[in-house]
Amino acid sequence: MSDEIRVDKSPDLRPERGAQTRKNTEKKRRKRRRIAFLVCLIVVAAILLSIVVVAAVNKWRLHIELNGKSSETIEVFDPYKEAGAKAWTEGTLLKLIRRPQKVTLNGEVDTGKVGDYTITYTAEYGEKQASVTRTVKVEDTEAPVITLVSNPDSYTLPGHEYVEEGYSATDNYDGDLTANVTSSENNGVITYTVTDSSGNVGTATRTINYKDPNAPVITLNGDAQQTIIVGGTWTSGCTAVDDVDGDVTARVTQTGDVDVNTPGTYTVTYTVSDAAGNTATATQTIKVVQLTNDENQAVNGKVIYLTFDDGPCEYTDQLLATLAKYNVHATFFTTSQFPNYLYCIQEEAAAGHTVAVHTYSHEFSQVYASADAYWNDFNQQEAVVQQYTGQTTNIFRFPGGSSNTMSARYCPGIMTELVAEAAQKGLTYVDWNVSSGDADGQPTADQTFQNIITGVQSHDVSFVLCHDIHKNTVDCMDKTIQWCLENGYTFLPITANSPTCHHHIAN
């Protein structure tokens, strides 16, 4: 039905009729509005009622869920990243509506300690509570490391037990495990093993370097330098021991021999080789001498060359008196260490003793600094000898003897050089084959006496080392000379015609 008002334009239409029509139309319009409002009210009420009904019937449920895996495994000391969890509430009817809830974490992971760790995630909504857990396993899968100490020059003699060069063991978790290392040897290979607290096993191997570079050691039965009288005997032979083969004396061969009835200098060489081909040699130099007329007075070749080093000093006069008492002549290897007693050099020469050169300063660091330094020192002392005796001497003794090794501290090889130069200069050096023992410490007079008589009984010709700077040595001379004379020994000074005594050069 249209709401439009038709206007009757006919001239016979009455005004009252039009007003009535408009009134009816307005009435209908209000009626329709009331109906529409009522309908809307009913719809709203229905909706509200539905909401109330749904709210009354709907139940909210609490949910919680892990982010990531429920169990993880990480290496010890590696970082751990917490993934967390999420929680929400959801209706039984209104499932599309989710409301986030706060999650509380309980527990932590110590990445520096092996073990199983549990982390609990909890959420609450009203009286409702929900939780989930995650297990994190921290494990150690890295094996310990064994580091071997190896000396490139190290070796093991065949048939000998390996001497451990050293090793260490460290673990990323347990630290130093060196004390836990075990080793075993099989067919020349050593296997080292160590286990950490997690059961990881570390190993290392070493191949033993078996090697025999050492020649046997030859020990002479007698002195390397021997002086014997014509017709006398010399001590020959040797023993030989190898660090792998043991006693190899039976393998020794000898080259050269000695004719004890013919004066001269003889060389005997002993040679021996071990199973590895290492060869050792040792040499004896035997000087067979014909005694002079004076020396022939000695019975059975019992000749003693009594020598005194390092003086003169405060005890030299006493010594000269003792020697004069028995008409015994000796050899003095002099120094200028004690200037106040240099006059004794003149007394020594006047009494028929041989005055020879030892050293001017007796300071090894100066004397053996170089060959030139040595001969400078020698020339100084020779000038002192000439000053007090009126003549020079070609007889001398090296400080420490020709076999000394102290000189190597200052000039390696100097003794070999000096011995060659001495020969070129026409000089004769004299060592000793009997020691009184007073060079090392100061033995008592009785000990010095015993050392001398024990030594001279082992030689036909004895060169006895003594020091007149030691009172105990000087004090024992009376007793020593008496015993030697009573037992048939003859004392002689060293001269240009006398035999000499040389040590093995060690530098």
Side-chain angles (χ1 to χ4, degrees):
M1 183 175 183
S2 175
D3 290 336
E4 295 182 0
I5 301 176
R6 297 181 179 180
V7 179
D8 190 356
K9 296 181 179 181
S10 301
D12 58 343
L13 188 62
R14 296 180 182 178
E16 293 83 358
R17 185 179 177 183
Q20 185 61 43
T21 300
R22 288 193 294 272
K23 191 179 295 186
N24 291 336
T25 299
E26 181 64 27
K27 184 177 180 181
K28 291 178 181 179
R29 189 176 292 162
R30 285 196 297 270
K31 183 178 180 180
R32 286 196 297 273
R33 289 174 180 167
R34 284 195 298 271
I35 292 172
F37 174 76
L38 183 59
V39 170
C40 289
L41 186 61
I42 293 171
V43 171
V44 170
I47 291 173
L48 291 174
L49 180 61
S50 297
I51 292 172
V52 171
V53 171
V54 169
V57 176
N58 180 67
K59 301 297 183 182
W60 293 100
R61 293 180 178 175
L62 180 61
H63 296 272
I64 188 167
E65 183 179 281
L66 289 173
N67 295 326
K69 300 177 182 179
S70 61
S71 64
E72 293 184 35
T73 300
I74 63 172
E75 186 71 16
V76 65
F77 301 124
D78 282 355
Y80 167 70
K81 185 177 181 180
E82 177 57 58
K86 56 187 174 183
W88 69 92
T89 53
E90 178 183 274
T92 55
L93 297 179
L94 302 176
K95 292 187 177 182
L96 296 179
I97 300 177
R98 287 188 172 187
R99 292 185 292 184
Q101 301 298 325
K102 179 182 177 182
V103 176
T104 302
L105 181 150
N106 184 26
E108 62 180 359
V109 177
D110 184 354
T111 60
K113 185 176 182 180
V114 171
D116 294 334
Y117 298 87
T118 299
I119 303 175
T120 302
Y121 306 86
T122 304
E124 295 181 355
Y125 178 72
E127 295 182 354
K128 295 180 174 64
Q129 188 180 71
S131 65
V132 289
T133 60
R134 188 196 316 275
T135 301
V136 179
K137 182 180 181 65
V138 177
E139 63 180 8
D140 171 24
T141 63
E142 187 174 336
V145 176
I146 299 175
T147 302
L148 301 180
V149 175
S150 181
N151 181 354
D153 297 326
S154 177
Y155 62 88
T156 298
L157 294 172
H160 287 61
E161 184 177 351
Y162 169 73
V163 177
E164 181 58 57
E165 295 170 75
Y167 54 79
S168 61
T170 58
D171 183 67
N172 66 318
Y173 182 64
D174 296 331
D176 188 356
L177 292 178
T178 303
N180 297 349
V181 175
T182 59
S183 63
S184 61
E185 188 269 335
N186 184 31
N187 293 327
V189 177
I190 300 178
T191 300
Y192 302 85
T193 305
V194 66
T195 304
D196 65 16
S197 60
S198 299
N200 302 305
V201 179
T203 61
T205 59
R206 185 202 306 274
T207 300
I208 300 174
N209 178 25
Y210 286 108
K211 181 180 178 182
D212 178 12
N214 303 321
V217 176
I218 297 177
T219 303
L220 296 172
N221 292 336
D223 294 338
Q225 304 284 338
Q226 297 182 38
T227 301
I228 65 171
I229 309 302
V230 170
T233 58
W234 65 287
T235 305
S236 63
C238 65
T239 58
V241 178
D242 185 65
D243 52 9
V244 174
D245 300 344
D247 188 346
V248 291
T249 304
R251 304 180 193 176
V252 175
T253 59
Q254 176 181 325
T255 302
D257 206 346
V258 178
D259 182 355
V260 297
N261 296 312
T262 303
T265 300
Y266 300 87
T267 299
V268 178
T269 301
Y270 303 94
T271 305
V272 65
S273 297
D274 63 14
N278 301 305
T279 301
T281 61
T283 301
Q284 281 183 310
T285 301
I286 311 301
K287 188 170 185 178
V288 179
V289 297
Q290 181 69 56
L291 296 179
T292 64
N293 290 332
D294 288 338
E295 291 170 330
N296 276 322
Q297 297 176 8
V299 179
N300 297 325
K302 293 182 177 181
V303 177
I304 297 176
Y305 292 98
L306 199 58
T307 70
F308 296 92
D309 289 7
D310 295 357
C313 69
E314 60 182 309
Y315 309 119
T316 303
D317 280 332
Q318 176 187 340
L319 175 61
L320 289 172
T322 302
L323 295 173
K325 175 181 177 181
Y326 296 99
N327 194 28
V328 165
H329 294 98
T331 303
F332 290 88
F333 291 101
T334 63
T335 75
S336 293
Q337 295 184 91
F338 311 99
N340 292 339
Y341 298 95
L342 290 178
Y343 69 87
C344 291
I345 292 178
Q346 184 175 6
E347 294 181 357
E348 292 166 355
H353 303 292
T354 295
V355 178
V357 171
H358 190 34
T359 168
Y360 182 82
S361 66
H362 211 284
E363 292 290 339
F364 276 51
S365 60
Q366 297 177 25
V367 173
Y368 290 125
S370 67
D372 287 343
Y374 177 82
W375 293 118
N376 286 337
D377 179 271
F378 177 94
N379 292 335
Q380 284 182 279
Q381 186 59 24
E382 186 177 45
V384 172
V385 171
Q386 187 174 16
Q387 175 186 349
Y388 285 95
T389 67
Q391 58 186 8
T392 59
T393 177
N394 67 344
I395 299 172
F396 74 103
R397 173 170 286 167
F398 289 109
S402 65
S403 61
N404 83 82
T405 56
M406 291 183 63
S407 57
R409 301 180 186 177
Y410 314 109
C411 186
I414 191 173
M415 296 311 303
T416 301
E417 183 179 358
L418 293 177
V419 166
E421 291 179 353
Q424 294 172 3
K425 294 175 181 289
L427 302 174
T428 301
Y429 71 90
V430 181
D431 289 317
W432 59 90
N433 57 15
V434 175
S435 174
S436 65
D438 65 352
D440 301 315
Q442 295 189 37
T444 64
D446 285 342
Q447 289 172 330
T448 304
F449 163 77
Q450 190 61 53
N451 290 339
I452 294 173
I453 63 171
T454 299
V456 298
Q457 291 179 85
S458 302
H459 300 83
D460 287 339
V461 178
S462 299
F463 294 83
V464 183
L465 172 66
C466 298
H467 293 78
D468 53 332
I469 62 172
H470 298 312
K471 189 175 189 305
N472 287 342
T473 301
V474 174
D475 286 344
C476 84
M477 280 300 115
D478 193 292
K479 181 178 179 181
T480 300
I481 294 172
Q482 282 191 57
W483 185 94
C484 291
L485 292 175
E486 290 172 358
N487 285 275
Y489 288 90
T490 298
F491 291 95
L492 296 173
I494 299 173
T495 67
N497 298 320
S498 300
T500 188
C501 177
H502 290 168
H503 291 167
H504 172 72
I505 307 301
N507 178 28

